[in-house]
PDB file of all heavy atoms in Angstrom:
ATOM      1  N   ALA P 103       6.720  -1.952  13.144  1.00  0.00           N
ATOM      2  CA  ALA P 103       6.624  -2.702  14.246  1.00  0.00           C
ATOM      3  C   ALA P 103       7.830  -2.557  15.137  1.00  0.00           C
ATOM      4  O   ALA P 103       7.798  -2.468  16.398  1.00  0.00           O
ATOM      5  CB  ALA P 103       6.448  -4.230  13.834  1.00  0.00           C
ATOM      6  N   LEU P 104       9.000  -2.490  14.566  1.00  0.00           N
ATOM      7  CA  LEU P 104      10.252  -2.370  15.263  1.00  0.00           C
ATOM      8  C   LEU P 104      10.295  -0.939  15.909  1.00  0.00           C
ATOM      9  O   LEU P 104      10.822  -0.759  17.021  1.00  0.00           O
ATOM     10  CB  LEU P 104      11.461  -2.652  14.483  1.00  0.00           C
ATOM     11  CG  LEU P 104      11.611  -4.108  13.985  1.00  0.00           C
ATOM     12  CD1 LEU P 104      12.871  -4.290  13.183  1.00  0.00           C
ATOM     13  CD2 LEU P 104      11.535  -5.069  15.156  1.00  0.00           C
ATOM     14  N   THR P 105       9.883   0.027  15.092  1.00  0.00           N
ATOM     15  CA  THR P 105       9.834   1.507  15.655  1.00  0.00           C
ATOM     16  C   THR P 105       8.938   1.539  16.844  1.00  0.00           C
ATOM     17  O   THR P 105       9.205   2.262  17.845  1.00  0.00           O
ATOM     18  CB  THR P 105       9.370   2.388  14.553  1.00  0.00           C
ATOM     19  OG1 THR P 105      10.270   2.371  13.463  1.00  0.00           O
ATOM     20  CG2 THR P 105       9.403   3.820  15.124  1.00  0.00           C
ATOM     21  N   TRP P 106       7.786   0.775  16.822  1.00  0.00           N
ATOM     22  CA  TRP P 106       6.868   0.742  17.948  1.00  0.00           C
ATOM     23  C   TRP P 106       7.558   0.213  19.185  1.00  0.00           C
ATOM     24  O   TRP P 106       7.400   0.772  20.329  1.00  0.00           O
ATOM     25  CB  TRP P 106       5.727  -0.084  17.592  1.00  0.00           C
ATOM     26  CG  TRP P 106       4.485   0.032  18.474  1.00  0.00           C
ATOM     27  CD1 TRP P 106       3.986  -0.851  19.353  1.00  0.00           C
ATOM     28  CD2 TRP P 106       3.683   1.225  18.657  1.00  0.00           C
ATOM     29  NE1 TRP P 106       2.957  -0.397  20.008  1.00  0.00           N
ATOM     30  CE2 TRP P 106       2.761   0.860  19.627  1.00  0.00           C
ATOM     31  CE3 TRP P 106       3.726   2.494  18.058  1.00  0.00           C
ATOM     32  CZ2 TRP P 106       1.661   1.764  20.036  1.00  0.00           C
ATOM     33  CZ3 TRP P 106       2.701   3.400  18.427  1.00  0.00           C
ATOM     34  CH2 TRP P 106       1.750   2.978  19.427  1.00  0.00           C
ATOM     35  N   VAL P 107       8.300  -0.863  19.028  1.00  0.00           N
ATOM     36  CA  VAL P 107       9.094  -1.423  20.154  1.00  0.00           C
ATOM     37  C   VAL P 107      10.041  -0.364  20.752  1.00  0.00           C
ATOM     38  O   VAL P 107      10.109  -0.223  21.990  1.00  0.00           O
ATOM     39  CB  VAL P 107       9.823  -2.733  19.757  1.00  0.00           C
ATOM     40  CG1 VAL P 107      10.706  -3.168  20.859  1.00  0.00           C
ATOM     41  CG2 VAL P 107       8.775  -3.786  19.420  1.00  0.00           C
ATOM     42  N   ILE P 108      10.855   0.245  19.832  1.00  0.00           N
ATOM     43  CA  ILE P 108      11.818   1.174  20.298  1.00  0.00           C
ATOM     44  C   ILE P 108      11.184   2.426  21.029  1.00  0.00           C
ATOM     45  O   ILE P 108      11.563   2.849  22.070  1.00  0.00           O
ATOM     46  CB  ILE P 108      12.683   1.682  19.205  1.00  0.00           C
ATOM     47  CG1 ILE P 108      13.556   0.440  18.575  1.00  0.00           C
ATOM     48  CG2 ILE P 108      13.617   2.787  19.629  1.00  0.00           C
ATOM     49  CD1 ILE P 108      14.246   0.759  17.353  1.00  0.00           C
ATOM     50  N   ALA P 109      10.092   2.977  20.412  1.00  0.00           N
ATOM     51  CA  ALA P 109       9.349   4.108  20.887  1.00  0.00           C
ATOM     52  C   ALA P 109       8.811   3.802  22.240  1.00  0.00           C
ATOM     53  O   ALA P 109       8.831   4.725  23.181  1.00  0.00           O
ATOM     54  CB  ALA P 109       8.383   4.641  19.951  1.00  0.00           C
ATOM     55  N   ARG P 110       8.258   2.655  22.490  1.00  0.00           N
ATOM     56  CA  ARG P 110       7.636   2.390  23.720  1.00  0.00           C
ATOM     57  C   ARG P 110       8.569   2.147  24.940  1.00  0.00           C
ATOM     58  O   ARG P 110       8.279   2.453  26.050  1.00  0.00           O
ATOM     59  CB  ARG P 110       6.801   1.030  23.635  1.00  0.00           C
ATOM     60  CG  ARG P 110       5.579   1.177  22.674  1.00  0.00           C
ATOM     61  CD  ARG P 110       4.433   1.864  23.443  1.00  0.00           C
ATOM     62  NE  ARG P 110       3.781   0.999  24.404  1.00  0.00           N
ATOM     63  CZ  ARG P 110       2.821   0.264  24.250  1.00  0.00           C
ATOM     64  NH1 ARG P 110       2.219   0.181  23.088  1.00  0.00           N
ATOM     65  NH2 ARG P 110       2.368  -0.447  25.180  1.00  0.00           N
ATOM     66  N   HIS P 111       9.822   1.868  24.637  1.00  0.00           N
ATOM     67  CA  HIS P 111      10.854   1.648  25.589  1.00  0.00           C
ATOM     68  C   HIS P 111      11.848   2.815  25.734  1.00  0.00           C
ATOM     69  O   HIS P 111      12.521   2.911  26.740  1.00  0.00           O
ATOM     70  CB  HIS P 111      11.594   0.359  25.368  1.00  0.00           C
ATOM     71  CG  HIS P 111      10.789  -0.917  25.509  1.00  0.00           C
ATOM     72  ND1 HIS P 111      10.259  -1.254  26.723  1.00  0.00           N
ATOM     73  CD2 HIS P 111      10.508  -1.891  24.697  1.00  0.00           C
ATOM     74  CE1 HIS P 111       9.632  -2.393  26.566  1.00  0.00           C
ATOM     75  NE2 HIS P 111       9.692  -2.784  25.425  1.00  0.00           N
ATOM     76  N   GLY P 112      12.018   3.559  24.729  1.00  0.00           N
ATOM     77  CA  GLY P 112      12.883   4.630  24.807  1.00  0.00           C
ATOM     78  C   GLY P 112      14.076   4.433  23.747  1.00  0.00           C
ATOM     79  O   GLY P 112      14.758   3.444  23.681  1.00  0.00           O
ATOM     80  N   MET P 113      14.223   5.507  22.931  1.00  0.00           N
ATOM     81  CA  MET P 113      15.169   5.481  21.834  1.00  0.00           C
ATOM     82  C   MET P 113      16.623   5.269  22.358  1.00  0.00           C
ATOM     83  O   MET P 113      17.454   4.535  21.754  1.00  0.00           O
ATOM     84  CB  MET P 113      15.051   6.739  20.912  1.00  0.00           C
ATOM     85  CG  MET P 113      16.056   6.698  19.775  1.00  0.00           C
ATOM     86  SD  MET P 113      15.722   5.480  18.566  1.00  0.00           S
ATOM     87  CE  MET P 113      14.284   6.037  17.805  1.00  0.00           C
ATOM     88  N   ARG P 114      16.968   5.953  23.456  1.00  0.00           N
ATOM     89  CA  ARG P 114      18.355   5.994  23.892  1.00  0.00           C
ATOM     90  C   ARG P 114      18.803   4.514  24.361  1.00  0.00           C
ATOM     91  O   ARG P 114      19.914   4.296  24.243  1.00  0.00           O
ATOM     92  CB  ARG P 114      18.527   7.055  24.958  1.00  0.00           C
ATOM     93  CG  ARG P 114      18.346   8.423  24.600  1.00  0.00           C
ATOM     94  CD  ARG P 114      18.577   9.406  25.795  1.00  0.00           C
ATOM     95  NE  ARG P 114      18.416  10.747  25.276  1.00  0.00           N
ATOM     96  CZ  ARG P 114      18.532  11.799  26.072  1.00  0.00           C
ATOM     97  NH1 ARG P 114      18.822  11.569  27.403  1.00  0.00           N
ATOM     98  NH2 ARG P 114      18.457  13.063  25.758  1.00  0.00           N
ATOM     99  N   SER P 115      17.897   3.768  24.936  1.00  0.00           N
ATOM    100  CA  SER P 115      18.302   2.578  25.472  1.00  0.00           C
ATOM    101  C   SER P 115      18.258   1.411  24.407  1.00  0.00           C
ATOM    102  O   SER P 115      18.618   0.261  24.774  1.00  0.00           O
ATOM    103  CB  SER P 115      17.372   2.172  26.651  1.00  0.00           C
ATOM    104  OG  SER P 115      15.984   2.216  26.258  1.00  0.00           O
ATOM    105  N   ALA P 116      17.694   1.677  23.254  1.00  0.00           N
ATOM    106  CA  ALA P 116      17.620   0.618  22.258  1.00  0.00           C
ATOM    107  C   ALA P 116      18.934   0.360  21.689  1.00  0.00           C
ATOM    108  O   ALA P 116      19.724   1.186  21.462  1.00  0.00           O
ATOM    109  CB  ALA P 116      16.587   1.041  21.158  1.00  0.00           C
ATOM    110  N   PRO P 117      19.219  -0.974  21.365  1.00  0.00           N
ATOM    111  CA  PRO P 117      20.590  -1.319  20.753  1.00  0.00           C
ATOM    112  C   PRO P 117      20.754  -0.647  19.327  1.00  0.00           C
ATOM    113  O   PRO P 117      19.754  -0.587  18.667  1.00  0.00           O
ATOM    114  CB  PRO P 117      20.528  -2.848  20.730  1.00  0.00           C
ATOM    115  CG  PRO P 117      19.143  -3.188  20.774  1.00  0.00           C
ATOM    116  CD  PRO P 117      18.444  -2.173  21.626  1.00  0.00           C
ATOM    117  N   GLY P 118      21.929  -0.347  19.001  1.00  0.00           N
ATOM    118  CA  GLY P 118      22.185   0.231  17.719  1.00  0.00           C
ATOM    119  C   GLY P 118      21.747  -0.566  16.456  1.00  0.00           C
ATOM    120  O   GLY P 118      21.285  -0.039  15.539  1.00  0.00           O
ATOM    121  N   TRP P 119      21.983  -1.925  16.608  1.00  0.00           N
ATOM    122  CA  TRP P 119      21.660  -2.662  15.491  1.00  0.00           C
ATOM    123  C   TRP P 119      20.104  -2.684  15.130  1.00  0.00           C
ATOM    124  O   TRP P 119      19.734  -2.707  13.976  1.00  0.00           O
ATOM    125  CB  TRP P 119      22.089  -4.186  15.690  1.00  0.00           C
ATOM    126  CG  TRP P 119      21.498  -4.852  16.884  1.00  0.00           C
ATOM    127  CD1 TRP P 119      22.007  -5.054  18.152  1.00  0.00           C
ATOM    128  CD2 TRP P 119      20.227  -5.510  16.979  1.00  0.00           C
ATOM    129  NE1 TRP P 119      21.087  -5.659  19.056  1.00  0.00           N
ATOM    130  CE2 TRP P 119      20.010  -6.017  18.248  1.00  0.00           C
ATOM    131  CE3 TRP P 119      19.222  -5.846  16.021  1.00  0.00           C
ATOM    132  CZ2 TRP P 119      18.910  -6.783  18.656  1.00  0.00           C
ATOM    133  CZ3 TRP P 119      18.081  -6.553  16.415  1.00  0.00           C
ATOM    134  CH2 TRP P 119      17.978  -7.004  17.713  1.00  0.00           C
ATOM    135  N   LEU P 120      19.358  -2.576  16.175  1.00  0.00           N
ATOM    136  CA  LEU P 120      17.815  -2.523  15.981  1.00  0.00           C
ATOM    137  C   LEU P 120      17.465  -1.240  15.207  1.00  0.00           C
ATOM    138  O   LEU P 120      16.639  -1.270  14.314  1.00  0.00           O
ATOM    139  CB  LEU P 120      17.129  -2.722  17.278  1.00  0.00           C
ATOM    140  CG  LEU P 120      15.628  -2.850  17.228  1.00  0.00           C
ATOM    141  CD1 LEU P 120      15.269  -4.079  16.441  1.00  0.00           C
ATOM    142  CD2 LEU P 120      15.123  -2.948  18.695  1.00  0.00           C
ATOM    143  N   ARG P 121      18.056  -0.137  15.648  1.00  0.00           N
ATOM    144  CA  ARG P 121      17.782   1.159  15.060  1.00  0.00           C
ATOM    145  C   ARG P 121      18.287   1.127  13.567  1.00  0.00           C
ATOM    146  O   ARG P 121      17.559   1.697  12.660  1.00  0.00           O
ATOM    147  CB  ARG P 121      18.426   2.332  15.793  1.00  0.00           C
ATOM    148  CG  ARG P 121      17.708   2.607  17.094  1.00  0.00           C
ATOM    149  CD  ARG P 121      18.423   3.672  17.903  1.00  0.00           C
ATOM    150  NE  ARG P 121      19.604   3.134  18.540  1.00  0.00           N
ATOM    151  CZ  ARG P 121      20.442   3.862  19.215  1.00  0.00           C
ATOM    152  NH1 ARG P 121      20.236   5.188  19.398  1.00  0.00           N
ATOM    153  NH2 ARG P 121      21.452   3.299  19.855  1.00  0.00           N
ATOM    154  N   ALA P 122      19.382   0.473  13.355  1.00  0.00           N
ATOM    155  CA  ALA P 122      19.943   0.463  11.981  1.00  0.00           C
ATOM    156  C   ALA P 122      19.028  -0.436  11.005  1.00  0.00           C
ATOM    157  O   ALA P 122      18.721   0.025   9.868  1.00  0.00           O
ATOM    158  CB  ALA P 122      21.323  -0.259  12.015  1.00  0.00           C
ATOM    159  N   ILE P 123      18.426  -1.525  11.647  1.00  0.00           N
ATOM    160  CA  ILE P 123      17.529  -2.348  10.782  1.00  0.00           C
ATOM    161  C   ILE P 123      16.269  -1.532  10.457  1.00  0.00           C
ATOM    162  O   ILE P 123      15.704  -1.631   9.333  1.00  0.00           O
ATOM    163  CB  ILE P 123      17.208  -3.637  11.509  1.00  0.00           C
ATOM    164  CG1 ILE P 123      18.458  -4.568  11.610  1.00  0.00           C
ATOM    165  CG2 ILE P 123      15.986  -4.358  10.988  1.00  0.00           C
ATOM    166  CD1 ILE P 123      18.166  -5.826  12.430  1.00  0.00           C
ATOM    167  N   VAL P 124      15.765  -0.788  11.378  1.00  0.00           N
ATOM    168  CA  VAL P 124      14.583   0.061  11.086  1.00  0.00           C
ATOM    169  C   VAL P 124      14.887   1.067   9.956  1.00  0.00           C
ATOM    170  O   VAL P 124      14.003   1.224   9.035  1.00  0.00           O
ATOM    171  CB  VAL P 124      14.159   0.781  12.374  1.00  0.00           C
ATOM    172  CG1 VAL P 124      13.153   1.850  12.056  1.00  0.00           C
ATOM    173  CG2 VAL P 124      13.591  -0.158  13.468  1.00  0.00           C
ATOM    174  N   VAL P 125      16.114   1.662   9.974  1.00  0.00           N
ATOM    175  CA  VAL P 125      16.383   2.591   8.898  1.00  0.00           C
ATOM    176  C   VAL P 125      16.495   1.839   7.525  1.00  0.00           C
ATOM    177  O   VAL P 125      15.956   2.381   6.520  1.00  0.00           O
ATOM    178  CB  VAL P 125      17.800   3.207   9.191  1.00  0.00           C
ATOM    179  CG1 VAL P 125      18.271   4.094   8.033  1.00  0.00           C
ATOM    180  CG2 VAL P 125      17.645   4.160  10.474  1.00  0.00           C
ATOM    181  N   GLY P 126      17.119   0.670   7.575  1.00  0.00           N
ATOM    182  CA  GLY P 126      17.136  -0.148   6.334  1.00  0.00           C
ATOM    183  C   GLY P 126      15.766  -0.425   5.767  1.00  0.00           C
ATOM    184  O   GLY P 126      15.549  -0.388   4.608  1.00  0.00           O
ATOM    185  N   LEU P 127      14.949  -0.885   6.697  1.00  0.00           N
ATOM    186  CA  LEU P 127      13.597  -1.212   6.169  1.00  0.00           C
ATOM    187  C   LEU P 127      12.795  -0.102   5.694  1.00  0.00           C
ATOM    188  O   LEU P 127      12.081  -0.182   4.698  1.00  0.00           O
ATOM    189  CB  LEU P 127      12.764  -1.985   7.322  1.00  0.00           C
ATOM    190  CG  LEU P 127      13.299  -3.288   7.797  1.00  0.00           C
ATOM    191  CD1 LEU P 127      12.597  -3.677   9.104  1.00  0.00           C
ATOM    192  CD2 LEU P 127      13.016  -4.302   6.670  1.00  0.00           C
ATOM    193  N   LEU P 128      13.011   1.004   6.268  1.00  0.00           N
ATOM    194  CA  LEU P 128      12.368   2.312   5.836  1.00  0.00           C
ATOM    195  C   LEU P 128      12.786   2.679   4.353  1.00  0.00           C
ATOM    196  O   LEU P 128      12.065   3.111   3.594  1.00  0.00           O
ATOM    197  CB  LEU P 128      12.533   3.433   6.764  1.00  0.00           C
ATOM    198  CG  LEU P 128      11.783   3.370   8.089  1.00  0.00           C
ATOM    199  CD1 LEU P 128      12.169   4.439   9.058  1.00  0.00           C
ATOM    200  CD2 LEU P 128      10.278   3.351   7.914  1.00  0.00           C
ATOM    201  N   ILE P 129      14.178   2.587   4.235  1.00  0.00           N
ATOM    202  CA  ILE P 129      14.689   2.851   2.876  1.00  0.00           C
ATOM    203  C   ILE P 129      14.183   1.911   1.851  1.00  0.00           C
ATOM    204  O   ILE P 129      13.819   2.292   0.690  1.00  0.00           O
ATOM    205  CB  ILE P 129      16.245   2.882   2.875  1.00  0.00           C
ATOM    206  CG1 ILE P 129      16.784   4.027   3.830  1.00  0.00           C
ATOM    207  CG2 ILE P 129      16.836   2.951   1.599  1.00  0.00           C
ATOM    208  CD1 ILE P 129      18.227   3.967   4.084  1.00  0.00           C
ATOM    209  N   GLN P 130      14.053   0.653   2.166  1.00  0.00           N
ATOM    210  CA  GLN P 130      13.563  -0.411   1.203  1.00  0.00           C
ATOM    211  C   GLN P 130      12.082  -0.028   0.910  1.00  0.00           C
ATOM    212  O   GLN P 130      11.704  -0.111  -0.232  1.00  0.00           O
ATOM    213  CB  GLN P 130      13.693  -1.761   1.840  1.00  0.00           C
ATOM    214  CG  GLN P 130      15.124  -2.288   1.763  1.00  0.00           C
ATOM    215  CD  GLN P 130      15.152  -3.795   2.179  1.00  0.00           C
ATOM    216  OE1 GLN P 130      16.211  -4.385   2.081  1.00  0.00           O
ATOM    217  NE2 GLN P 130      14.152  -4.428   2.567  1.00  0.00           N
TER     218      GLN P 130
END
């Protein structure tokens, strides 16, 4: 769900904390 939000708007403009949370959820 969060990756979808980031992908629809652009990875470069997404805040770093949001990308970090996505990585953490994927690892879990």
Side-chain angles (χ1 to χ4, degrees):
L104 295 183
T105 303
W106 192 247
V107 171
I108 294 174
R110 292 282 289 266
H111 290 300
M113 178 65 74
R114 293 182 179 179
S115 58
W119 60 265
L120 188 59
R121 286 176 284 179
I123 289 175
V124 170
V125 173
L127 290 171
L128 288 175
I129 294 176
Q130 287 188 172

